[in-house]
Amino acid sequence: MKTKKALVLAASLALTGPCGMAQDLTLRPDNIDQILDALTIEEKASLLVGGRNENFAGGNNATVGGTRDLVPGAAGTTRSVSRLGVPPTVLADGPAGIRIAPTRPGDTETYYATGFPVGTSLASSWNVDLVRNVGRAIGNEVLEYGADVLLAPGMNIHRSPLCGRNFEYYSEDPVVTGLIAAAYSNGVQDNGVGVSLKHFAANSQETNRTGVDEIVSPRALREIYLKGFEIAVKNSAPWTVMSSYNKLNGPFTQENGELLTTVLRDEWGFDGIVMTDWIGQRNTAAQVRAGNDLMEPGQDVQIQEIVEKVKSGELAEADVDKCARRMLEYIVKTPRFKGYKYSNKPDLKAHAAITRQSATEGMVLLKNNDNTLPLKDVEKISLFGITSYDFIAGGTGSGDVNKPYVVDLLEGLTGAGLEAEGSLCDLYLSYKSYMENKKEADRTGGRGWGKEILPEMPVSRTAIDKQAKISDMAVITIGRQAGEGHDRKIDDDFNLTDVERRMITDVTDAFHAQGKKVVVIINTGGVVETASWKSLPDAILLAWQPGQEGGNSVADVLTGKENPSGKLTMTWPVAAMDHPSSLNFPLSGNAGFRRRGERENVDYTLHKEGINVGYRYFDTNGVDVSYPFGFGMSYTTFSYSKPVVKAGKDGFEAHVTVTNTGAVAGKEVVQLYVSAPKGDVEKPVHELKAFAKTRTFAPGESQTLTFKVDNYSLASFNEAKSEWIADKGVYAIGFGADSRDIRCKADYRLAKTLSYPVNNVLAATRPL
């Protein structure tokens, strides 16, 4: 009691001068207690509600607007308390670069941001140093454009290849997700700005994303959907976490105290702020009570609700104080609080060079018969596919970036000294112009979030035969676009369209008849079906959506300037429905006519597959795939040798030597898989626990890679005991080029069973 009285007295003295005159009290990092005491309940409530967004109409839709007075086009702000020196802060979308308005009324300057590779591309590099470097460049643009937090990285698991937002996310595996996200976050935060890990948690579909109840077992939650967030929180200390739109086992995540406080804060030690995803008014008091510190994009009625419910006793002021304190602790870290004089002129040219190179390292060579790539003795190329002339840099929605330009494949190949056959180019460019004009005439409105894909142009067999006679080879680009608010379809999206199938068939037939090669480029943010047609072309390069320098990046790989070293971070199945999760996913027409609240996979989705997501299912059950998790080829070859596992106090350290056995310099990704001994719960045949990438090394050179794995990471979650349990026995350690290509092995023996108890929370609310 004496201590509390002393603090009150100190605060009182700070507010008065020697004659009792009031003095200014201004926020500093060391006086947050005083500021908190000085805030009225209305001011505390205002700190928890985002600044009004002039484009936000309210309601229950997921909407984003502008922030005209601070950083135009940014997603939102926090509110100021000017009398106490509390400034507003600015939150801007990501994750492929900062999303702000490129032009401003009455201003002749432009404010474009670099369009970096999408999440699937960055993750497929398996290179945490590269990803941190990309994050550092993105964070510099956040800083220099006057924002304080980037709403990224996106971390949701690729539960199904049909999720429309997979391009923003990293993997079907939580270890890849967590380590790549941590590297990205550390890079951004190296600039003194913050990130927001999103969308916490189980935002596994876009269909009815603001209302669907994701029903997930505690084990699947802990091992699959939360583990990546846990890794990122512990390895990068993010400033913020964004709670997702959806419900999770009953309540909305935004008002789920078990998720936001018990797990995130109490178990993982997160000490930043939690903000909502951009939603209208929900149960604001419940959100505050759960530990959701900031409601975005913010409405005045939410402030009123907090104040009224504190005054009525329905909401404890202590809960408001916790959130307000965390908001103040966040604000004093920001560049805006520190008075940073941002330039509005980041080095876009330098960042373009970073995106060009980083995109090449995430590209995955899926096929390369007879060393078709890199190109040799090729001068003239027939360039097929509308996407060759209309390249897709990134996905749609808040993850889109207002870029200064996009390099298409025609431009990239021309810049690399190759000739694209002119009459075919003219045909496609005329079609592109016609379709773009038609789309503009047909446009009825909308937010224009990102690039729309043009339908493929049919090309007659006669025209293709002519091309096969006058060109040295053919390149076909297959493009796909997806994004926020919509999930993908199987027909004409995951699967190729009839026009695309005919084009691949006719082009390969015609060019092979002339003894000439065909290469397919896949320009997509997510998985497409390949099993039915991959035997036709001579080579297939998965370019992903590689950012604004995409055409140059692809050309760098095709010509051998860069050796592809990317590997898949998700399984490419034979068919979309081979994923067990696709049986419980919102496919077209499945909503039926049941009353709202009872539409399976729309109002609620049962994760019946549990932990059997991706390779955990395919490899354990021996199901055929088109390309396995971790797969990726190179222009050179590698051997693995000298596997060593050394036990330590809390886990093991593993080593393997990689040798370049081919003819050109390159990099290799090595994946460490662990097969656990039997225990009380069923386990997958193996699970990824670590990975590493070599430096670029020459033919004949070797490099020894080191992996560290702690015993906690070996544990499986036992729901009955609410414990992570690492069973005693022998753990088989496999060093793999992919999940089905284990090159060498070693063992690790755990002498006794270890348990790590956690809170018994987040129980499923429907039978699974």
Side-chain angles (χ1 to χ4, degrees):
M1 182 62 73
K2 288 181 180 179
T3 301
K4 184 173 182 180
K5 287 181 178 179
L7 288 172
V8 172
L9 177 60
S12 176
L13 290 173
L15 285 165
T16 59
C19 299
M21 299 289 290
Q23 301 290 309
D24 290 338
L25 178 63
T26 300
L27 177 65
R28 303 190 309 270
D30 62 353
N31 73 347
I32 288 174
D33 285 339
Q34 293 169 257
I35 296 294
L36 195 60
D37 286 340
L39 289 168
T40 66
I41 184 59
E42 290 80 8
E43 289 169 333
K44 292 175 186 177
S46 73
L47 285 178
L48 312 190
V49 177
R52 283 192 72 177
N53 224 322
E54 68 269 17
N55 292 341
F56 182 71
N60 196 39
N61 294 318
T63 318
V64 69
T67 46
R68 258 194 305 261
D69 296 334
L70 294 171
V71 180
T77 65
T78 62
R79 301 195 187 214
S80 64
V81 182
S82 56
R83 75 177 184 89
L84 296 173
V86 181
T89 65
V90 178
L91 318 171
D93 272 320
I98 182 173
R99 177 180 171 84
I100 59 174
T103 58
R104 301 173 184 179
D107 189 343
T108 59
E109 296 290 327
T110 57
Y111 303 87
Y112 289 105
T114 305
F116 289 88
V118 298
T120 46
S121 174
L122 288 180
S124 295
S125 74
W126 298 71
N127 186 334
V128 292
D129 294 331
L130 176 144
V131 174
R132 184 164 188 164
N133 192 42
V134 170
R136 194 174 288 121
I138 294 174
N140 174 258
E141 295 190 18
V142 174
L143 178 68
E144 294 303 335
Y145 276 134
D148 299 283
V149 170
L150 183 72
L151 304 176
M155 295 186 57
N156 294 110
I157 291 294
H158 289 206
R159 176 180 178 242
S160 165
L162 302 178
C163 177
R165 219 162 168 181
N166 277 353
F167 76 95
E168 290 190 49
Y169 307 146
Y170 295 134
S171 178
E172 67 190 25
D173 179 80
V175 171
V176 175
T177 296
L179 293 178
I180 294 295
Y184 179 103
S185 299
N186 283 324
V188 172
Q189 295 191 162
D190 284 344
N191 293 273
V193 296
V195 298
S196 190
L197 308 187
K198 66 182 188 184
H199 309 86
F200 191 63
N203 189 164
S204 299
Q205 65 188 59
E206 288 298 289
T207 301
N208 194 27
R209 60 180 174 156
T210 62
V212 65
D213 190 357
E214 302 282 3
I215 310 297
V216 193
S217 71
R219 183 184 180 191
L221 267 177
R222 296 277 189 174
E223 293 191 18
I224 305 296
Y225 299 100
L226 298 184
K227 177 58 73 172
F229 284 99
E230 179 183 2
I231 292 170
V233 165
K234 292 179 176 178
N235 285 276
S236 67
W239 286 15
T240 85
V241 167
M242 182 188 293
S243 54
S244 54
Y245 289 127
N246 55 282
K247 299 175 182 178
L248 177 59
N249 291 339
F252 286 108
T253 65
Q254 298 174 345
E255 55 190 64
N256 191 329
E258 292 184 346
L259 179 69
L260 303 185
T261 296
T262 305
V263 173
L264 179 61
R265 298 188 187 282
D266 298 343
E267 292 182 9
W268 299 350
F270 175 68
D271 62 359
I273 65 167
V274 174
M275 68 177 75
T276 67
D277 204 339
W278 268 231
I279 194 69
Q281 183 185 18
R282 283 180 168 172
N283 188 337
T284 306
Q287 292 172 324
V288 172
R289 196 178 296 115
N292 214 319
D293 307 294
L294 177 61
M295 320 306 144
E296 285 289 351
Q299 295 176 284
D300 291 345
V301 68
Q302 293 172 292
I303 298 174
Q304 297 166 13
E305 180 185 348
I306 293 171
V307 172
E308 290 169 2
K309 293 202 171 181
V310 167
K311 290 180 178 179
S312 70
E314 295 178 69
L315 176 62
E317 188 167 0
D319 288 333
V320 176
D321 285 350
K322 287 179 185 177
C323 296
R325 177 185 298 279
R326 289 193 288 253
M327 287 300 300
L328 293 171
E329 290 170 346
Y330 149 71
I331 289 168
V332 299
K333 294 192 293 187
T334 62
R336 192 163 294 273
F337 172 79
K338 294 176 181 179
Y340 181 75
K341 305 298 182 184
Y342 58 91
S343 68
N344 266 331
K345 294 185 181 296
D347 192 342
L348 299 183
K349 184 176 180 179
H351 295 167
I354 291 172
T355 194
R356 177 171 177 168
Q357 190 280 323
S358 61
T360 66
E361 198 157 327
M363 292 182 186
V364 184
L365 185 61
L366 296 176
K367 182 179 180 179
N368 197 23
N369 282 3
D370 300 323
N371 296 316
T372 297
L373 297 177
L375 301 178
K376 299 175 288 291
D377 302 321
V378 171
E379 294 181 0
K380 183 182 290 187
I381 295 173
S382 289
L383 195 54
F384 291 91
I386 187 59
T387 311
S388 298
Y389 305 84
D390 198 33
F391 218 64
I392 306 168
T396 66
S398 61
D400 179 47
V401 179
N402 292 313
K403 305 167 281 294
Y405 60 85
V406 175
V407 178
D408 61 36
L409 189 53
L410 173 61
E411 184 180 351
L413 292 177
T414 301
L418 296 165
E419 178 188 354
E421 198 286 316
S423 63
L424 185 62
C425 291
D426 291 343
L427 183 64
Y428 272 106
L429 291 173
S430 295
Y431 172 77
K432 176 186 173 185
S433 178
Y434 168 77
M435 291 302 298
E436 287 177 338
N437 290 335
K438 184 177 184 297
K439 275 183 174 288
E440 190 62 33
D442 293 344
R443 197 178 301 279
T444 58
R447 287 175 287 178
W449 276 15
K451 181 176 184 59
E452 297 178 54
I453 191 169
L454 298 177
E456 191 52 74
M457 182 184 79
V459 182
S460 71
R461 179 59 189 260
T462 300
I464 293 171
D465 287 337
K466 178 182 176 182
Q467 291 293 316
K469 293 175 182 177
I470 61 178
S471 293
D472 298 322
M473 67 170 297
V475 172
I476 305 169
T477 305
I478 300 296
R480 286 294 181 273
Q481 184 60 294
E484 188 170 359
H486 302 278
D487 288 313
R488 297 175 61 195
K489 302 179 298 180
I490 293 179
D491 292 339
D492 300 337
D493 186 354
F494 179 84
N495 293 341
L496 299 193
T497 67
D498 291 341
V499 174
E500 289 168 334
R501 288 178 179 278
R502 175 53 56 191
M503 177 173 61
I504 292 175
T505 300
D506 287 350
V507 171
T508 53
D509 281 352
F511 276 76
H512 287 171
Q514 297 292 327
K516 298 174 181 178
K517 301 291 184 67
V518 177
V519 176
V520 171
I521 309 297
I522 304 177
N523 178 200
T524 178
V527 180
V528 296
E529 188 274 324
T530 54
S532 68
W533 58 267
K534 67 181 183 180
S535 63
L536 300 177
D538 302 283
I540 304 173
L541 178 67
L542 171 59
W544 296 116
Q545 291 172 337
Q548 69 186 44
E549 287 281 330
N552 286 332
S553 299
V554 172
D556 288 344
V557 172
L558 293 181
T559 59
K561 181 179 178 181
E562 298 283 350
N563 188 343
S565 58
K567 297 196 176 188
L568 300 175
T569 60
M570 72 297 291
T571 305
W572 281 47
V574 172
M577 295 306 293
D578 288 349
H579 278 272
S581 61
S582 294
L583 300 173
N584 304 284
F585 194 84
L587 305 176
S588 177
N590 73 347
F593 296 96
R594 287 164 282 181
R595 62 186 177 84
R596 184 168 178 79
E598 291 300 321
R599 295 174 295 175
E600 189 170 357
N601 303 329
V602 176
D603 296 305
Y604 69 93
T605 297
L606 303 174
H607 290 230
K608 294 180 181 179
E609 73 280 359
I611 67 166
N612 290 308
V613 174
Y615 74 89
R616 285 171 169 79
Y617 166 76
F618 289 105
D619 291 359
T620 301
N621 293 281
V623 177
D624 288 341
V625 298
S626 188
Y627 296 106
F629 176 85
F631 177 83
M633 301 174 70
S634 170
Y635 294 157
T636 189
T637 56
F638 302 95
S639 68
Y640 299 9
S641 63
K642 303 176 183 176
V644 176
V645 172
K646 295 180 179 178
K649 180 180 179 182
D650 298 312
F652 66 84
E653 184 174 281
H655 306 272
V656 69
T657 298
V658 181
T659 302
N660 185 339
T661 55
V664 298
K667 296 181 179 181
E668 172 69 337
V669 174
V670 179
Q671 302 148 45
L672 186 147
Y673 294 90
V674 174
S675 298
K678 290 184 178 181
D680 291 337
V681 298
E682 285 284 324
K683 301 175 186 179
V685 64
H686 57 199
E687 294 178 287
L688 183 81
K689 296 299 180 184
F691 59 87
K693 192 166 192 175
T694 68
R695 67 178 188 276
T696 299
F697 58 115
E701 285 191 324
S702 298
Q703 182 180 352
T704 298
L705 298 176
T706 299
F707 311 79
K708 294 183 178 180
V709 179
D710 58 32
N711 290 327
Y712 173 65
S713 299
L714 299 176
S716 300
F717 189 71
N718 187 310
E719 291 182 13
K721 298 179 179 179
S722 195
E723 292 181 344
W724 289 94
I725 296 177
D727 292 294
K728 68 178 180 180
V730 175
Y731 289 78
I733 312 301
F735 302 90
D738 62 56
S739 72
R740 296 192 173 186
D741 184 9
I742 306 301
R743 300 286 180 88
C744 53
K745 297 181 179 181
D747 288 339
Y748 169 64
R749 182 177 295 276
L750 193 59
K752 63 177 182 178
T753 295
L754 302 175
S755 62
Y756 307 87
V758 294
N759 294 284
N760 187 8
V761 294
L762 301 173
T765 51
R766 291 177 184 251
L768 288 166

